[in-house]
Each structure stands twice: as structure tokens, then as C-alpha cells.
Amino acid sequence: MKEAGYYDESINNGVVVMATAQSQQRHMQQVVYRILDANLDRAREGLRIIEEWCRFGLNNSPMAGECKQLRQEVASWHNAELRSARDTAGDIGTELSHPQEEQRSGIKSLLQANFCRVQEALRVLEEYGKLYHPSMGKAFKQMRYQVYSLETNLMGYERHQLLWRSHLYLVTSPSDTLLETVEAALKGGLTLVQYRDKDTDDTVRLEQATQLRELCHSYGALFIMNDRVDLALAVDADGVHLGQQDMPIAIARQLLGPQRLIGRSTTNAEEMQKAITEGADYIGVGPVYETPTKVGKPAAGLEYVRYANQNSTIPWFAIGGIDPNNINDVIDSGAERVAVVRSLMQAEQPTLVTQYLLSQLHRVKPEESSRFSSGRYANAPIKN
């Protein structure tokens, strides 16, 4: 079989054969140009959406600047030759849609969708760009890796920022009204929830954790999985909380990556310092009072709360038997954040109890918030 574009003098229409091959080549060239044009637009649009959140939502100049730099680099390849191939009226893709594109459950969902959009577009540009210019494939490959890093840093930053702003932490216990109780607390202003169930089958835990994660994210709250790194990954939780007998933080970090949160329970100064050194994002400090949640474990008392107030360099939550009757004693000992179980899970009106607990916590000047904005976490990726 002779290759396309051959010229055979023995055939009268040899010129026609050559012309047909050339027209096919031009047609294929135009198809490639249209693909490049469409994906250059797609990448620039997605980057602009992410940039706007970095600029106006986070007030984060370095991240906004990185988005702008990437956007301008993409634009430098978007020349008149590629734009001239555009055929919007003849593009069947303008009629295609998917239900997931029609709605966004929150900022996280919006950002995630646009990161995926940008990354897919860059991959297309990397491959088809090799047919257009010798350097185009390599350039977009590097940009794709840069966007992966930006996604990790931005999503991690979002979670850490919300963690520092959270002053009340609900740790759930098994309940027939689990979802209703958590939603009622979320309506009261709760922004941090941990799903804790030691005894239920994994199939049930997976279902409940998925429902809770969706519920938390719909209210803009963080969702943490107790103990189980595998379930945290399975349901796309914001992080995991580990006890002293659970896996090392370093191993959990390898599995979860840098963008998710890792908390550690601590009962004394030595455990606290070890958790901080190993890279915990936050710690539990307690139990402040004896609690049936920790059977047989003696109370650490308010003295440990005072120690944490003076020595912890990361967010910490006083936990253990804290309720509306004693929360002010805990606050007076230096706590600005508390975690509760029974106070909300067994409350007749979880929304009102949440509002009351938050009102007491917010009467304390949030010095930790200013530490976030001016110190280790200011305008920078977390745990990069």
C-alpha cells in the first residue's frame, strides 16, 4: 500500500491524489489547532477562577501571583494562528454537559472542579502541543506539575486556615439521630466535626462518614475521621485524628499527603511536645475532667490546660467532660478552643448549645488567629 500523498505519473489524476493528501493534512492541522485553542481557553479560565479566590477569598498574594504567572504563561502560547482555527458555531462540545457541572456544593467543590479542569487541559496541551511546536509539550508538562503543587498548597492552606478559626470541635458518638444532631450543631455555627465510632462495622462507618463529610462540606465545616486513615482517604475527609496507640504521625502523613490535617490526643506535656515535633497539625489536651468516653483514664485537669496555653505552638483543643456548666473554668485556665462529645450529642437543642458554647469561647480575644495571619501560616503554603 502506497502512503498518502504519493504521486504516480502513470495515473492521470495523480495531481488530484496529491491535492487530496494535502487537503487532509491541512484539515488535520486545523483540528489540532482547534484542540489547542479550546484547551488554552479552558486552562486560562480555570486558573482565573482559582486566582480570584486566592486574591479575594484568602487575601493570599503569593498564591494569587502564582496563578497569574501561570495564566500569563499559558496566554503566551495562545497566538493568532491558533485563535483563527476557532469554530464555536461548529463545535459539538458546546451542547455537551453533565449534572455535576451544573452545581457546586461549596468553595472546596468549586476549587477542586477547576483544578481538575486546568490539569486536564494542560495534559491535552502537553500531548497535542508536541505536534505544533518542539517546546510546547515540555512547557505544558512543567506547568501541569506546577498546578499539582499549587492545588496541594491551596487546599492545605484552606483547611489550616479554617482549623485556626475553629474554636468548637464536635466529636461524635454513636446515635440514632447522628446526622440530625450534627446538622443542628452546624446550624449553630460549628465548623469542625470528628466522626468517632469504635465498634460499628466498616460498611456502616463508610456510609455514615460519607454522609457526614457531605453534610459538613455543605456548611463549610471540616470533617475529620477518628483513627482510621484508610476510611479518611476513602471518604475524602479533611484529615484524621490519632490516639496515642495509633500509627505514627509520619506514616499517616505519607498516606494522607501534606494537604490533610492530622490531630493527636495528648494527656501530658511529654506527649504534647512529641506530637508537635512529629508534625501534628493540632492536638487534643485532656481529659480535663473524667469522662465515660475515656473509661479508666484519669483526668489531666486544668493544670495541663494551663501548660498547653503557655507552651503549644499549634492549635489545641481542651477535651474531656466539658459542658456549659464548666466551660468558663476551662476558658479561665487559658483554653480558646474546646472539643465536646456528650454536651452536643446528648443535647435536646444542639443548635442552641452550640451557640452558647461559641459565645463563651468568642468572648476570649482570639490571639491564635492573629498568630496565624502574622506568623508561620501567613501567606504561605502549609507543610509543603
Side-chain angles (χ1 to χ4, degrees), residues 42 60 72 122 140 145 172 185-186 204 222 227 246 260 290 310 314 317 347 351 353:
R42 189 173 294 118
N60 190 301
Q72 291 175 337
L122 293 178
F140 280 95
Y145 290 146
T172 70
L186 291 168
V204 177
L222 294 169
D227 291 350
D246 293 326
R260 286 186 170 88
E290 289 189 10
Q310 294 296 318
I314 61 177
F317 295 82
T351 301
V353 176

Side-chain angles (χ1 to χ4, degrees), residues 35-229:
I35 291 171
L36 293 175
D37 173 65
N39 283 277
L40 286 163
D41 275 335
R42 189 173 294 118
R44 293 171 67 185
E45 291 163 358
L47 284 167
R48 187 56 184 253
I49 291 169
I50 297 166
E51 180 184 336
E52 297 299 79
W53 180 249
C54 293
R55 178 182 174 186
F56 296 105
L58 301 179
N59 295 315
N60 190 301
S61 180
M63 286 187 183
E66 186 174 2
C67 288
K68 185 174 183 179
Q69 175 265 321
L70 278 165
R71 194 162 46 79
Q72 291 175 337
E73 189 171 350
V74 172
S76 70
W77 287 94
H78 210 176
N79 56 37
E81 183 177 47
L82 297 180
R83 291 176 186 273
S84 66
R86 187 176 305 171
D87 180 15
T88 304
D91 185 358
I92 62 171
T94 59
E95 303 295 327
L96 302 177
S97 185
H98 189 280
Q100 290 184 348
E101 296 179 349
E102 305 300 325
Q103 57 184 359
R104 298 283 183 254
S105 61
I107 290 296
K108 180 184 175 183
S109 171
L110 182 149
L111 292 172
Q112 202 76 68
N114 280 279
F115 270 116
C116 289
R117 184 185 192 192
V118 172
Q119 289 157 7
E120 290 169 358
L122 293 178
R123 181 63 176 178
V124 173
L125 291 165
E126 176 186 341
E127 292 301 322
Y128 283 93
K130 296 169 185 175
L131 303 175
Y132 179 68
H133 190 283
S135 302
M136 193 171 187
K138 183 183 293 186
F140 280 95
K141 180 179 181 179
Q142 294 303 315
M143 277 187 265
R144 183 162 55 85
Y145 290 146
Q146 192 175 346
V147 170
Y148 288 149
S149 297
L150 177 63
E151 178 185 15
T152 296
N153 293 335
L154 177 56
M155 301 310 288
Y157 182 91
E158 280 276 284
R159 287 182 173 122
H160 281 80
Q161 189 181 56
L162 183 51
L163 172 67
W164 278 84
R165 292 201 309 266
S166 297
H167 289 264
L168 182 63
Y169 190 174
L170 169 59
V171 181
T172 70
S173 58
S175 169
D176 292 336
T177 60
L178 176 63
L179 291 173
E180 292 83 356
T181 301
V182 172
E183 183 164 20
L186 291 168
K187 289 179 178 178
L190 183 72
T191 54
L192 183 55
V193 175
Q194 179 189 143
Y195 175 55
R196 184 177 187 273
D197 190 332
K198 300 284 190 179
D199 303 316
T200 303
D201 291 342
D202 276 1
T203 52
V204 177
R205 272 193 277 198
L206 190 62
E207 180 181 1
Q208 290 186 335
T210 300
Q211 293 173 327
L212 281 173
R213 188 261 301 161
E214 292 175 352
L215 181 63
C216 289
H217 288 178
S218 70
Y219 280 87
L222 294 169
F223 174 72
I224 305 295
M225 194 77 199
N226 178 262
D227 291 350
R228 298 285 298 275
V229 173

Side-chain angles (χ1 to χ4, degrees), residues 175-375:
S175 169
D176 292 336
T177 60
L178 176 63
L179 291 173
E180 292 83 356
T181 301
V182 172
E183 183 164 20
L186 291 168
K187 289 179 178 178
L190 183 72
T191 54
L192 183 55
V193 175
Q194 179 189 143
Y195 175 55
R196 184 177 187 273
D197 190 332
K198 300 284 190 179
D199 303 316
T200 303
D201 291 342
D202 276 1
T203 52
V204 177
R205 272 193 277 198
L206 190 62
E207 180 181 1
Q208 290 186 335
T210 300
Q211 293 173 327
L212 281 173
R213 188 261 301 161
E214 292 175 352
L215 181 63
C216 289
H217 288 178
S218 70
Y219 280 87
L222 294 169
F223 174 72
I224 305 295
M225 194 77 199
N226 178 262
D227 291 350
R228 298 285 298 275
V229 173
D230 56 341
L231 292 182
L233 288 169
V235 303
D236 192 24
D238 293 297
V240 68
H241 185 87
L242 304 173
Q244 284 294 314
Q245 306 307 314
D246 293 326
M247 72 167 60
I249 291 173
I251 301 299
R253 181 66 69 198
Q254 289 178 10
L255 295 170
L256 292 169
Q259 69 191 69
R260 286 186 170 88
L261 303 170
I262 298 178
R264 175 75 92 180
S265 296
T266 69
T267 62
N268 55 55
E270 182 180 356
E271 290 177 354
M272 185 189 86
Q273 295 299 338
K274 186 171 185 286
I276 294 172
T277 300
E278 291 178 348
D281 296 299
Y282 74 89
I283 54 173
V285 169
V288 180
Y289 304 104
E290 289 189 10
T291 170
T293 305
K294 299 291 184 181
V295 179
K297 182 168 287 188
L302 294 173
E303 187 59 36
Y304 184 36
V305 173
R306 286 188 279 270
Y307 178 86
N309 181 46
Q310 294 296 318
N311 294 278
S312 180
T313 56
I314 61 177
W316 58 276
F317 295 82
I319 185 171
I322 300 171
D323 58 36
N325 296 316
N326 59 30
I327 187 171
N328 284 301
D329 293 333
V330 181
I331 291 172
D332 290 342
S333 297
E336 296 182 353
R337 300 177 179 84
V338 303
V340 298
V341 184
R342 290 173 299 151
S343 294
L344 287 178
M345 293 305 300
Q346 297 179 13
E348 292 184 5
Q349 295 180 296
T351 301
L352 293 179
V353 176
T354 298
Q355 291 172 336
Y356 174 77
L357 294 174
L358 285 171
S359 71
Q360 298 309 298
L361 289 163
H362 287 156
R363 70 180 174 82
V364 182
K365 182 179 179 181
E367 294 179 359
E368 299 298 339
S369 297
S370 62
R371 189 186 307 175
F372 178 92
S373 62
S374 61

